[in-house]
Amino acid sequence: MESHLDGVLGVKPLYRVIEAGQLADRIFQIWVEAPHVARHALAGQFLVIRIDEHGERIPLTVSAVSGDLVRIIFMAVGKTTHQLSALKAGDFIRDVAGPLGKPSEIGMRGTCVVVGGGAGIASCPIIARAARDAGNRVIGIIGARNAGYLILEDEMREACDDLLVATDDGSRGFHGFAADVLKEVIAGRKVDCVWIIGPAIMMKVTSEVTRPKGIRTFVSLNPIMVDGTGMCGSCRVQVGGETKFACVDGPEFDAHQVDFDLLMQRQRTYFDEEKVSLERYHEHACRCGEGGHHG
Amino acid sequence: MNTPVGAGKEVTMGERPARDRIRDFFEVDCGLSAEEAVAEAERCMQCKKPSCVRGCPVEIDIPAFIARIAERDFRGAARIIKEANLLPAVCGRVCPQEVQCEGACILGGKEMPVRIGELERFVADREREQGLVIPPVAEPTGKRVAVVGSGPAGLTAAAELARDGHMVTVFESLHEPGGVLMYGIPSFRLPKDVVQAEIDQLRGMGVKILTNHLAGASIPVAELHAYDAVFIGTGAGLPFFMNIPGEQLNGVYSANEFLTRVNLMHADRFPEYDTPVRHAGRVVVVGGGNVAMDAARVARRLGARVTLVYRRREEDLPARRAEVIRAREEGVEFELCANPVRIIGTHFVTGVECVRMEMCSLDDSGRPEPSPLKGSNFTIDADMVIQAIGQGPNPLLIRKIEGITYGRKGNIVVDEEGRSSLEKVFAAGDVATGAATVILAMGGAKKAARAIDRMLREDQRDR
């Protein structure tokens, strides 16, 4: 059962990329073989990857599962995600650990709305599907800057009873933010529970929509992590005035209790270093003349 | 400098000068040459009733291995040590010998005790250089044991159980096995190739180590229960914070995070390695234990001016004396009888406000209870703060094991032999005792492994 671990380097595991491709502007997906994660992952959980011996550990949501495969979706913003975007089918990822974090608190709630913004849409179908399987009526809202950044529309349409699309520039669906669409949805009907997943600023703004009505609202937080198992405390966030570790107490929290400004402040801790790392990567990728293979 | 009573071990001769060693992460201690080792071994009195062995949590036959060194039979010495301890290169370096074997050495009363730790290290290093001999394992019993965590406790239990002929699978959540030996203890105290070689030895004995596997998640608890026995050695990986204002500022680290970034992820070599660590000019480390010393000395090597703030007096520092001395030699400044009350800054840390502490009546542990002196507040400039004030057991797995009894501090409650409240589930090391030393974890794990072996053999007979 653990034969997949006897990888090319003998005792050390390697995880094979089965499929890799681009979904939208700067947004990529990878299906990777990781049975120990795939077999046990539930909606809302994440995994940690390290691409190679020199790599950093980064958390990514488990976006979908199929047999022994897990899907990750990411936007190429820093060095690691750029490097990841250059991987092709047949390549290996050095380490995949998980599933980590608590699963979404699905339950039978009635009508649920799952809101995704940008690359955050990656986390939505698995939650929408789980919510519908639990007997909820599920409305999906996905939003992006423009049509070129929109991902998983078909998958969300299939996972939800209704799907609404918004783009900031109106190039597809409703012209405006996901928050505007959510406002209309909750004005028109009784909504029992909302998930909002996207960039921190989008989650902050969008969760204000449900606050006046006191609708149970979850957000999935994405602070900087190292181990992802509660060991380092790098991912600490303030929720309801208490310090929580996003990796083990979350990643989903009550949106109306989260200190988003602090989250955003802490996400910028390594802003300068991230720039250095990415520049160095691009220089190296240029010199090698191949789509960014490193090391 | 006041040398506290009972802290016998001073820094030994063979070490690199501070001005050299703070420029790199290479080992501080140089170790003994063969000649020095033989000479040191000849000092041993070969006591009939050796008190040193009683001082050793894993009961190494110390006089026997020292006798072999005196005879220049270094391989024979290695064999004797490894009968009791499969991590001798680790223990020779990080055990607090001054309160264990060397503390009990009969020579200690008159002159210097025999440098047992140095001798253990010498024997282990020499064997490694010449090729480690994989210890023999017993006939396969067909019994399967799951070991959770690959730190000192997990590795010791795995080694002992493999030696007894059981099929051992170790689950490690990080990408490298070794636990605190890899992420916590810096390479200038414990080089990582030393740890890896001793772990490879376990693999040679047939131990299967699955990295990236978080027990309770990648391996559900039900699957763990399907093993004939489960040993839990998940350590004390949950960092404590002081809960003072400003703790959320960028640049405030737990010692765990800071040390993991550097030791495990090689942030000292950023951007060659992808993991960054904040580049700080002035660092404040809070705490007085070995972890605090490690953090302070790592920060010095990253080029920062380092101030260590501890709430009690010099003689109360819980760190090993030798580590305190070395930290001082390396330029770590000590702000004793002081405690942080607030971390200052906007977004990023700029300083730490502390208050002077007054020593009051003795507490249960015989140490004075510190209490803040009103109006004595002062500020230390800092762009990084590292909190090394202790850690507790990680509750992640424990909470998922239905029916297991754990204490108020989240530690698994076990008996003398590591038995938990659940049949077939054992635990040792920091997860059972709370944060302690590498060797105590190993001692506990060895006892538990013996009990597991006994249980599995009885089980076999019953069939």
Side-chain angles (χ1 to χ4, degrees), chain B residues 65-95:
Chain B
F65 97 76
I66 292 182
R68 294 296 165 90
I69 297 177
E71 295 159 15
R72 303 189 74 91
D73 175 11
F74 303 135
R75 283 213 172 260
R79 202 166 48 240
I80 291 168
I81 295 176
K82 281 162 74 174
E83 276 166 19
N85 174 15
L86 276 167
L87 305 171
V90 171
C91 290
R93 286 172 166 85
V94 303
C95 274

Side-chain angles (χ1 to χ4, degrees), chain A residues 1-2 4-6 11-13 15 36-37 40 45 50 52-57 79-80 83 94-100 224-238 243 245 248 262 265-270 273-274 276-277 280 294, chain B residues 169 171 173-176 183 196 200 203 208-214 217-220 223 227 237-239 241 243 247-254 256-257 260-261 264-266 269-279 346-348 387 394 396 400:
Chain A
M1 134 199 177
E2 288 129 357
H4 68 284
L5 292 163
D6 305 329
V11 285
K12 295 200 169 182
Y15 303 88
H36 64 302
V37 182
H40 309 296
Q45 290 189 295
R50 191 178 70 126
D52 59 30
E53 286 293 336
H54 287 228
E56 61 181 336
R57 296 171 63 94
K79 189 258 177 183
T80 300
Q83 190 184 351
R94 189 70 189 71
D95 296 291
V96 179
L100 303 169
I224 296 168
M225 292 187 187
V226 185
D227 62 291
T229 62
M231 198 191 84
C232 81
S234 163
C235 67
R236 58 195 191 275
V237 290
Q238 289 282 308
T243 298
F245 289 1
V248 292
L262 184 63
Q265 170 210 304
R266 286 187 60 80
Q267 283 175 335
R268 284 190 296 268
T269 300
Y270 299 105
E273 287 84 358
E274 281 160 11
V276 168
S277 195
R280 187 173 175 277
H294 179 76
Chain B
T169 307
F171 299 104
S173 68
L174 287 172
H175 56 267
E176 292 282 3
Y183 76 73
Q196 258 144 8
D200 283 343
R203 290 197 173 103
K208 190 168 186 175
I209 303 176
L210 297 182
T211 51
N212 298 321
H213 277 60
L214 183 70
S218 323
I219 298 289
E223 279 182 40
Y227 284 79
L238 188 77
F241 287 90
N243 294 317
E247 223 159 46
Q248 314 299 337
L249 289 167
N250 298 354
V252 181
Y253 290 80
S254 72
N256 269 7
E257 181 186 356
T260 300
R261 283 181 179 271
L264 183 72
M265 307 307 297
H266 310 291
R269 289 160 72 184
F270 176 87
E272 185 196 338
Y273 283 79
D274 293 339
T275 304
V277 68
R278 203 165 143 60
H279 191 84
T346 45
H347 301 318
F348 284 89
Q387 305 197 34
N394 191 328
L396 214 49
K400 286 184 183 162

Side-chain angles (χ1 to χ4, degrees), chain A residues 15-248:
Chain A
Y15 303 88
R16 188 191 295 272
V17 173
I18 301 300
E19 200 188 308
Q22 190 160 4
L23 291 179
D25 233 15
R26 287 165 61 206
I27 302 178
F28 299 82
Q29 70 165 353
I30 284 177
W31 282 93
V32 60
E33 193 174 22
H36 64 302
V37 182
R39 288 176 195 173
H40 309 296
L42 296 169
Q45 290 189 295
F46 65 98
L47 48 76
V48 161
I49 64 144
R50 191 178 70 126
I51 301 183
D52 59 30
E53 286 293 336
H54 287 228
E56 61 181 336
R57 296 171 63 94
I58 63 158
L60 291 164
T61 305
V62 174
S63 167
V65 167
S66 170
D68 284 348
L69 310 183
V70 252
R71 181 178 67 184
I72 47 175
I73 292 178
F74 51 93
M75 183 179 273
V77 281
K79 189 258 177 183
T80 300
T81 42
H82 271 94
Q83 190 184 351
L84 205 53
S85 72
L87 293 184
K88 297 175 195 68
D91 287 344
F92 289 94
I93 295 175
R94 189 70 189 71
D95 296 291
V96 179
L100 303 169
K102 289 184 179 164
S104 305
E105 291 173 39
I106 302 286
M108 175 54 203
R109 296 172 183 278
T111 299
C112 298
V113 181
V114 181
V115 188
I121 300 170
S123 313
C124 295
I126 195 169
I127 295 174
R129 229 172 279 133
R132 201 150 82 160
D133 288 350
N136 296 286
R137 175 175 173 77
V138 179
I139 299 167
I141 302 174
I142 55 173
R145 200 181 306 170
N146 59 52
Y149 278 99
L150 211 55
I151 57 166
L152 304 184
E153 189 179 332
D154 292 345
E155 208 172 306
M156 274 299 277
R157 205 171 293 287
E158 212 165 292
C160 302
D161 294 291
D162 284 304
L163 180 71
L164 302 159
V165 178
T167 49
D168 300 0
D169 67 351
S171 53
R172 179 153 184 88
F174 175 83
H175 187 165
F177 297 122
D180 304 325
V181 179
L182 179 62
K183 208 175 288 174
E184 277 184 37
V185 168
I186 65 167
R189 69 174 83 205
K190 183 175 175 290
V191 168
D192 303 287
C193 186
V194 176
W195 275 269
I196 303 168
I197 302 163
I201 183 70
M202 173 266 184
M203 292 193 284
K204 179 186 176 181
V205 172
T206 312
S207 59
E208 283 311 313
V209 172
T210 57
R211 192 193 296 272
K213 285 197 165 184
I215 302 171
R216 188 91 169 101
T217 303
F218 294 101
V219 284
S220 180
L221 304 188
N222 51 346
I224 296 168
M225 292 187 187
V226 185
D227 62 291
T229 62
M231 198 191 84
C232 81
S234 163
C235 67
R236 58 195 191 275
V237 290
Q238 289 282 308
V239 182
E242 273 181 62
T243 298
K244 299 277 183 191
F245 289 1
C247 66
V248 292

Side-chain angles (χ1 to χ4, degrees), chain B residues 72-149:
Chain B
R72 303 189 74 91
D73 175 11
F74 303 135
R75 283 213 172 260
R79 202 166 48 240
I80 291 168
I81 295 176
K82 281 162 74 174
E83 276 166 19
N85 174 15
L86 276 167
L87 305 171
V90 171
C91 290
R93 286 172 166 85
V94 303
C95 274
Q97 289 99 4
E98 64 277 13
V99 294
Q100 296 175 353
C101 54
E102 292 178 20
C105 177
I106 194 134
L107 288 181
K110 311 170 202 128
E111 41 183 309
M112 281 283 283
V114 176
R115 284 145 68 191
I116 302 167
E118 294 273 8
L119 290 176
E120 181 183 25
R121 176 189 158 173
F122 164 77
V123 167
D125 285 358
R126 189 155 176 115
E127 195 205 7
R128 190 176 62 256
E129 281 155 21
Q130 297 178 347
L132 285 174
V133 179
I134 306 292
V137 298
E139 279 292 300
T141 60
K143 297 288 182 184
R144 297 162 68 237
V145 184
V147 170
V148 183

